[in-house]
Amino acid sequence: MVNSVGKPLDRVDGRLKVTGRALYAAEHQVPDAVSAVLVMSTIPKGRIAKVETTQAEQAPGVLAIMTPFNTPKLPSPPPGSEKNRSTSRKLNLFQDDQVLYSNQPIAVAIADTLEHATHAAELVRVQYRAEPFNVVLENGLAQAYNPEEVGGAGDPADSSRGDLKSGTAQATARAQHIYITPIETHNPMEPHATVAAWEGQKLTLYDATQGVFSDRERVAGVLGLHPDDVHVVSPFLGGGFGSKGPTWSHVVLCAMAARRVNRPVRLVMRREQMFGSIGFRGRTYQTLELAAKADGTLTAVRHDTVDQTSSFDQFAESCSLQARMLYESPNVSTTHRLVRLDMGTPSFMRAPGEAPGNYALESAMDELSYELKMDPLALRLKNYTEKDPEKNKPWSSKSLRECYRQGAERFGWERRNPAVRSSRDGHWLIGQGMATACYPTRRSESSAIAKLRKDGSALVEAGTQDIGTGTYTIMTQIAADAIGMTPNQVTFRLGDTEFPETPVSGGSQTAASTGSAVKLAGQALREKLVQMAINDAASPLHNLGANDVSIDSGYFVSQSDPAKRESLAAFMARQGVSEIEAKGSAKPGEEKKDYSMYAFGAAFVEVRVDADLGEVRVNRMVGSFAAGKILNAKTARSQLIGGMVWGIGMALTEATVVDPNRGRVVNANLAEYHVPVNRDSPVIDIITVPEDDPHVNEIGAKGIGEIGITGTTAAIANAIYHATGKRIRELPITPDKLL
Ligand code: MOS
């Protein structure tokens, strides 16, 4: 039996993508569909005094202009009606005249064509009664409040073990600094888009969403529909990175617009509209204090995070969580506080909490290593945790030591001269830095169905999403192995609420959650088929023992007598049914109580910094990760490379800049919001350390979508310090900060 899981199978949807036949949300052709274009607020706070729509309404092709003054009141959803609270952001659905942030949707122009709707949106005139506002985190530090809970698992905002004071008193070296990370905007290549079509009280949404079921539930809740009356379809996504996790206002507005004009409506957000209204990573202000004995043993760790939320909703960037578990220290104190700003609500963005938090913690560890005159990697090994020191539980598995070893060896870490500013190539200063990577392992309840078809091939379905990560491919591989087929005998379908229920594709949990369900469904189908073959008098396998019969590459085979075999297609021809199906579902179990579960890794980076101009180039990076079973060597490598490229963006280029005087984003476009491009990324060497974890889930996979960004950002900042002797504690590290 040849197993497919683990192999570098090409993306099964690759051909559809490169030939343009993969349909993204806005590309679904719905007969009679018209276009809607959002009008966004241009002030951060106040009231809408008047919306002048006469001119817009008279423009060619216009069907309607929706405003807060002509939009019907929505029913109030019964409290507790939504399961997925973590993905329920408060929405702006034209129910009042309040402006709560700049770039808030405040009107929708609906017309026969996109051009006409765009033109009409330009003609909508809004008069405001502006009110005083604050968009600067640092101005609100004194008003910061305790959010009580943070992060995907609802961890307490604050933690404390031991006694910080006595810990610092024992220390011979200390590092205490403030690290600041800017607002970042996701910028998936595919803009947020929705096509909404009503049939009576039934609504179909072709939506760019990371969670078809949570989307369905949220839209149904807000519009007062039964979830069964909402059908969400999302077969392809051009990136999401968390921004398409929650359902945002434009999705519901699109459905409301379709109801208003009694036609299907297509709504695509423009790039600049995506700065503030669909979530972003909030600005963080983090205080790190580390103290250690002369041999590097940590005696105290303090991590206090302040970040921003909106005036009307709450989201916390859970930066201080890693400080609780990443290193051994008897004395640890962590806090999270939030400042309400007159901006949109921040949200999940690739490794929410972990990415900026890890930057601060791993920068501080680097600073401490220089205080101690100790190798940065040796300092981390000195404080290695053999169990989770906060939860006092064993790790389900941890191969970080091996990640450090293999990463350091590949990178050539031992050849590094520890002195700062010790290496130079012409006007380039060369430096090397490293950092630990870490991301929690999560799963949620998920289900799947596997069907054997007449021709002997399998159709496997689960609601889930492929956000560009490779879900189609790995699920095909898992199903093929579980049933006993080759991947080309299996078709996997996803992205549809008609399929079995699955969780949101966030928190790096899709492979673990839905992969487990697909495996169980595939195994259930195989067992059912084997039993049917044994009972089938016409089968060569008739009356053999169940343990003697297996399915291999689409054939029933007897183990004891390999001459006894029959293809699944030949078997199906006698069954008189079009399909034979079996279901599987998987959910978190006891492992959550018994183990602390994380993926770990390490990033090693070499940079060169122009001594005269402050320009930073990343020369090379090695990322070494252990994340349980690697389901597809090629898509896994791509995910980890993608995560590390995000680390380059966070370290060097990305920042959403808000004008403090006008409360508006000034770089709401891809020309001035600098996502790293190919030219910014060196060859990235990815090592996946083999790791067998029997505890995390049925397939032993930990999830790899987010861990790549952690570690990388700090490793780059640490390499810049090593190259230049300049410690930059506010991201991104742009040339002006190095001059
Ligand atoms: Mo990810 S930020 O959990 O989609």
Side-chain angles (χ1 to χ4, degrees):
M1 171 105 66
V2 182
N3 281 334
S4 168
V5 164
K7 299 262 154 40
L9 187 71
D10 286 342
R11 282 173 192 260
V12 297
D13 52 336
R15 182 175 293 270
L16 285 180
K17 284 187 168 172
V18 299
T19 56
R21 285 180 295 144
L23 281 191
Y24 293 80
E27 298 176 318
H28 286 272
Q29 294 306 313
V30 178
D32 291 329
V34 294
S35 286
V37 169
L38 295 171
V39 176
M40 311 303 258
S41 67
T42 56
I43 65 162
K45 188 171 163 66
R47 301 267 166 175
I48 302 169
K50 191 173 176 221
V51 184
E52 178 50 60
T53 57
T54 317
Q55 227 194 329
E57 277 160 351
Q58 287 165 2
V62 172
L63 297 167
I65 309 292
M66 271 170 58
T67 76
F69 301 108
N70 66 13
T71 297
K73 289 287 164 277
L74 294 168
S76 0
S81 63
E82 289 177 39
K83 285 182 288 184
N84 296 302
R85 289 294 307 150
S86 68
T87 53
S88 294
R89 298 281 175 271
K90 292 218 174 95
L91 304 179
N92 312 103
L93 303 174
F94 303 178
Q95 299 297 293
D96 56 46
D97 62 357
Q98 287 197 69
V99 176
L100 299 167
Y101 57 96
S102 177
N103 232 357
Q104 171 187 322
I106 52 169
V108 177
I110 311 155
D112 57 349
T113 65
L114 174 62
E115 292 76 10
H116 283 153
T118 305
H119 180 55
E122 296 287 324
L123 296 174
V124 173
R125 296 278 170 267
V126 183
Q127 286 172 26
Y128 301 98
R129 276 195 294 275
E131 293 169 14
F133 63 88
N134 176 32
V135 294
V136 180
L137 180 72
E138 282 81 345
N139 290 347
L141 294 181
Q143 284 85 47
Y145 73 96
N146 184 343
E148 307 297 342
E149 265 190 16
V150 297
D155 284 295
D158 293 3
S159 79
S160 162
R161 67 174 186 257
D163 176 41
L164 202 70
K165 270 221 173 73
S166 76
T168 45
Q170 298 161 33
T172 54
R174 287 177 69 200
Q176 182 180 336
H177 301 287
I178 291 165
Y179 302 88
I180 295 171
T181 65
I183 297 170
E184 289 187 297
T185 303
H186 309 77
N187 280 305
M189 283 305 289
E190 179 206 22
H192 289 238
T194 308
V195 180
W198 291 90
E199 236 178 287
Q201 279 303 296
K202 287 189 187 291
L203 173 65
T204 299
L205 292 174
Y206 301 92
D207 194 24
T209 177
Q210 290 175 238
V212 289
F213 285 96
S214 55
D215 202 31
R216 174 178 81 161
E217 203 177 312
R218 182 68 172 139
V219 172
V222 171
L223 295 178
L225 304 169
H226 191 281
D228 288 349
D229 287 336
V230 181
H231 179 199
V232 178
V233 181
S234 184
F236 290 98
L237 227 67
F241 313 116
S243 73
K244 292 167 184 165
T247 298
W248 297 100
S249 304
H250 68 278
V251 179
V252 185
L253 290 170
C254 183
M256 291 163 71
R259 192 183 252 169
R260 171 75 167 263
V261 299
N262 217 8
R263 298 270 296 269
V265 166
R266 172 181 289 110
L267 188 156
V268 182
M269 294 187 86
R270 286 207 308 267
R271 182 64 54 183
E272 72 265 26
Q273 294 176 331
M274 291 163 57
F275 283 73
S277 60
I278 46 106
F280 51 88
R281 201 197 294 285
R283 184 176 179 86
T284 75
Y285 187 94
Q286 304 177 56
T287 308
L288 250 298
E289 181 181 1
L290 301 178
K293 295 181 186 165
D295 68 352
T297 306
L298 283 168
T299 57
V301 174
R302 175 165 73 93
H303 192 165
D304 296 319
T305 298
V306 188
D307 92 293
Q308 67 181 92
T309 189
S310 66
S311 64
F312 58 97
D313 204 353
Q314 179 167 300
F315 179 86
E317 193 75 16
S318 50
C319 296
S320 304
L321 295 183
Q322 285 194 356
R324 298 176 188 175
M325 47 63 68
L326 198 50
Y327 298 110
E328 195 71 61
S329 168
N331 309 299
V332 176
S333 163
T334 68
T335 64
H336 293 88
R337 295 292 178 269
L338 288 176
V339 175
R340 293 204 182 277
L341 295 183
D342 298 307
M343 298 183 59
T345 309
S347 189
F348 318 118
M349 182 166 167
R350 204 168 191 173
E354 284 81 10
N358 178 284
Y359 154 68
L361 176 61
E362 288 297 288
S363 294
M365 284 294 281
D366 198 63
E367 302 211 40
L368 183 67
S369 76
Y370 287 94
E371 292 294 325
L372 288 160
K373 298 192 171 42
M374 190 170 175
D375 177 78
L377 176 51
L379 175 62
R380 285 160 174 90
L381 285 166
K382 183 83 199 170
N383 295 285
Y384 196 86
T385 51
E386 301 293 355
K387 63 174 172 39
D388 184 328
E390 175 77 9
K391 299 202 171 85
N392 197 24
K393 287 180 190 175
W395 307 112
S396 62
S397 61
K398 180 177 182 179
S399 314
L400 178 57
R401 229 183 265 285
E402 194 56 18
C403 292
Y404 287 142
R405 195 189 66 76
Q406 291 191 26
E409 186 181 292
R410 183 79 60 89
F411 184 81
W413 182 256
E414 63 175 28
R415 292 192 296 276
R416 173 182 181 264
N417 182 336
V420 298
R421 266 184 110 91
S422 56
S423 175
R424 198 172 173 125
D425 176 12
H427 58 105
W428 293 104
L429 303 169
I430 313 285
Q432 295 91 20
M434 61 79 60
T436 308
C438 175
Y439 192 79
T441 299
R442 300 193 173 100
R443 71 188 297 200
S444 300
E445 184 165 4
S446 188
S447 48
I449 188 165
K451 307 170 193 178
L452 180 66
R453 295 189 286 197
K454 201 97 213 168
D455 66 354
S457 70
L459 181 64
V460 182
E461 294 164 338
T464 192
Q465 304 71 219
D466 190 330
I467 65 177
T469 42
T471 309
Y472 276 110
T473 311
I474 59 166
M475 296 303 165
T476 300
Q477 293 174 276
I478 293 168
D481 287 4
I483 302 169
M485 291 184 167
T486 57
N488 62 3
Q489 292 168 325
V490 176
T491 302
F492 184 77
R493 300 207 297 168
L494 55 66
D496 195 318
T497 50
E498 307 267 278
F499 299 154
E501 189 157 349
T502 52
V504 69
S505 286
S508 298
Q509 68 168 353
T510 299
S513 308
T514 301
S516 294
V518 165
K519 177 175 181 177
L520 295 180
Q523 285 177 343
L525 179 63
R526 188 188 57 200
E527 282 161 25
K528 188 172 181 176
L529 294 174
V530 164
Q531 204 50 57
M532 287 176 77
I534 290 167
N535 295 341
D536 180 354
S539 165
L541 295 309
H542 184 56
N543 273 343
L544 294 179
N547 290 335
D548 188 17
V549 182
S550 67
I551 302 179
D552 187 358
S553 305
Y555 283 81
F556 291 106
V557 194
S558 161
Q559 306 294 302
S560 60
D561 179 3
K564 289 185 178 164
R565 53 187 275 127
E566 184 183 38
S567 74
L568 292 171
F571 161 82
M572 265 310 267
R574 291 192 304 274
Q575 304 308 312
V577 291
S578 60
E579 288 180 342
I580 296 167
E581 65 177 47
K583 291 177 183 150
S585 69
K587 61 181 176 191
E590 295 295 297
E591 75 277 2
K592 250 182 137 165
K593 282 211 316 260
D594 299 339
Y595 297 99
S596 183
M597 298 176 285
Y598 288 83
F600 293 94
F604 296 85
V605 174
E606 181 176 281
V607 299
R608 62 184 194 277
V609 183
D610 190 307
D612 306 315
L613 302 174
E615 180 190 358
V616 180
R617 308 301 305 177
V618 179
N619 277 352
R620 56 194 184 95
M621 303 207 286
V622 174
S624 174
F625 304 96
K629 181 131 195 110
I630 297 302
L631 301 168
N632 179 313
K634 186 181 282 183
T635 56
R637 177 172 173 272
S638 297
Q639 277 297 291
L640 294 166
I641 287 175
M644 292 191 82
V645 170
W646 269 60
I648 297 176
M650 189 169 191
L652 299 178
T653 62
E654 293 186 50
T656 302
V657 182
V658 180
D659 178 345
N661 300 311
R662 303 196 58 204
R664 300 183 65 182
V665 175
V666 299
N667 61 339
N669 56 68
L670 289 177
E672 293 161 297
Y673 183 94
H674 294 148
V675 174
V677 297
N678 206 37
R679 181 81 175 76
D680 299 310
S681 307
V683 171
I684 299 172
D685 200 345
I686 298 291
I687 299 167
T688 47
V689 171
E691 185 176 62
D692 182 25
D693 191 322
H695 306 300
V696 279
N697 50 57
E698 281 77 358
I699 57 173
K702 286 183 171 178
I704 46 172
E706 292 167 277
I707 188 172
I709 184 174
T710 73
T712 304
T713 306
I716 293 171
N718 296 343
I720 291 171
Y721 175 75
H722 182 238
T724 63
K726 287 184 185 154
R727 182 67 67 175
I728 309 303
R729 302 188 184 93
E730 180 167 357
L731 300 180
I733 305 174
T734 43
D736 52 302
K737 292 174 183 158
L738 287 166
L739 291 178

